[in-house]
Amino acid sequence: MRATTIHAPFDMRVEDVPEPLVQLPTDAVVRVLRACICGSDLWAYRGESARQPGQRIGHEFLGIVEETGSEVTGVRTGDLVVAPFVWSDGVCDYCREGLTTSCVHGGFWGAVGYDGGQGEAVRVPFADGTLVPLPKDAASDDHLLSALLTLSDVMGTGHHAALGAGVRKGATVAVVGDGAVGLCAVLAAKRLGAERIIALGRHEVRTDIARRFGATDVVAARGEEAVAAVRELTRGQGAHAVVEAVGTEQSMRTAVDIARDGGAIGFVGVPHGSGTGLDLGVMFDRNIALRGGVAPVRTYIPELLPDILDGTIDPSPVFDLTVGLEGVPDGYKAMDERTALKVLVTNG
């Protein structure tokens, strides 16, 4: 089959690799219909996170089950399924508590020795704990497939950020970051009943999507200028709930500075850079809570899926460029150069 591999910084290739096979009775093989490129994939692309030459990549996909192991009972051949970005057994203590990203048998797609989502097919460990069946007729609906694909990562991650920030009905929310996760956090905050949503971002195409998703205000600034603008919009008090969806020292410092006393920050931007941007003394004095981390999206899919199916939420606008599998290297280049927000990958 064909699959995306990474060989060195900025060296992405689509190559012939062995077809995946059921190796354990708990496995399934999924033929990928839709995948996508994540902003976090760019760290490997840029050489900021290590990869072995030829390693697979991609952690967001949905597709059709082609084969199952003898112990798989939750899905069957022919089912349309979505895979969260971490596989999990569904039965360990962490999984039962909803923290599937800490599963004792879990792992990430594209890890050494495992398939990545940006390929024609994927061997799925612990299929019953990992895969979520979707309505079969969605396979013929391109728009719905795009929306459903966001359940594999960005919509669930945005929801995780909103929960971590304590978004509630009537709250004022600020979202730091205008990438796909930040935009989905805006959508999640709207879904949870936020009254005012302030999106921080300097790219008009993206902030237009934020408004479409429910943002009531846009702050097109960074650093101290952004802090001053949010404070002005909130009578000097700041936001009850702040989402940090970037992961840099500056973005976290901004999140702290725009949080209302007694508020909370939901952080899902994977930290990168030399510092954290956190001053525990400031957070202590102002009673600011910090929650977040790797989103257990497998836990959130059953809650979010019905709202996508009935049209209550539609995260599909985060995809603004579509490529076939052979065009994945061009998709990475487009996202790295910020000419694309998030790239959708189609396989038939």
Side-chain angles (χ1 to χ4, degrees), residues 298-322:
R298 175 61 182 84
T299 299
Y300 300 140
I301 291 174
E303 176 184 351
L304 298 173
L305 175 58
D307 282 3
I308 288 181
L309 293 176
D310 69 14
T312 300
I313 58 173
D314 178 12
S316 65
V318 298
F319 297 112
D320 60 348
L321 177 64
T322 300

Side-chain angles (χ1 to χ4, degrees), residues 52 158 274 297 338 346:
Q52 294 184 6
S274 59
V297 300
R338 298 184 72 86
T346 61

Side-chain angles (χ1 to χ4, degrees), residues 84-175:
F85 66 84
V86 173
W87 71 77
S88 53
D89 64 18
V91 297
C92 76
D93 287 347
Y94 290 114
C95 285
R96 287 198 298 267
E97 293 167 3
L99 194 62
T100 51
T101 49
S102 291
C103 177
V104 296
H105 298 118
F108 289 83
W109 310 113
V112 175
Y114 291 91
D115 296 311
Q118 294 162 20
E120 290 185 317
V122 176
R123 180 178 76 87
V124 178
F126 301 104
D128 279 344
T130 302
L131 298 173
V132 179
L134 303 171
K136 288 187 177 181
D137 57 2
S140 60
D141 186 331
D142 284 341
H143 183 88
L144 182 56
L145 281 179
S146 297
L148 292 169
L149 179 59
T150 66
L151 293 172
S152 65
D153 187 346
V154 289
M155 188 62 228
T157 297
H159 179 68
H160 185 59
L163 293 179
V167 175
R168 62 188 185 279
K169 289 184 178 179
T172 294
V173 180
V175 178

Side-chain angles (χ1 to χ4, degrees), residues 19-29 67 69 113-115 123-124:
E19 286 271 358
L21 302 170
V22 168
Q23 299 178 15
L24 298 171
T26 51
D27 287 350
V29 173
E67 185 181 1
Y114 291 91
D115 296 311
R123 180 178 76 87
V124 178

Side-chain angles (χ1 to χ4, degrees), residues 8-27:
F10 306 103
D11 185 2
M12 311 298 298
R13 306 177 193 176
V14 180
E15 301 181 306
D16 291 327
V17 300
E19 286 271 358
L21 302 170
V22 168
Q23 299 178 15
L24 298 171
T26 51
D27 287 350

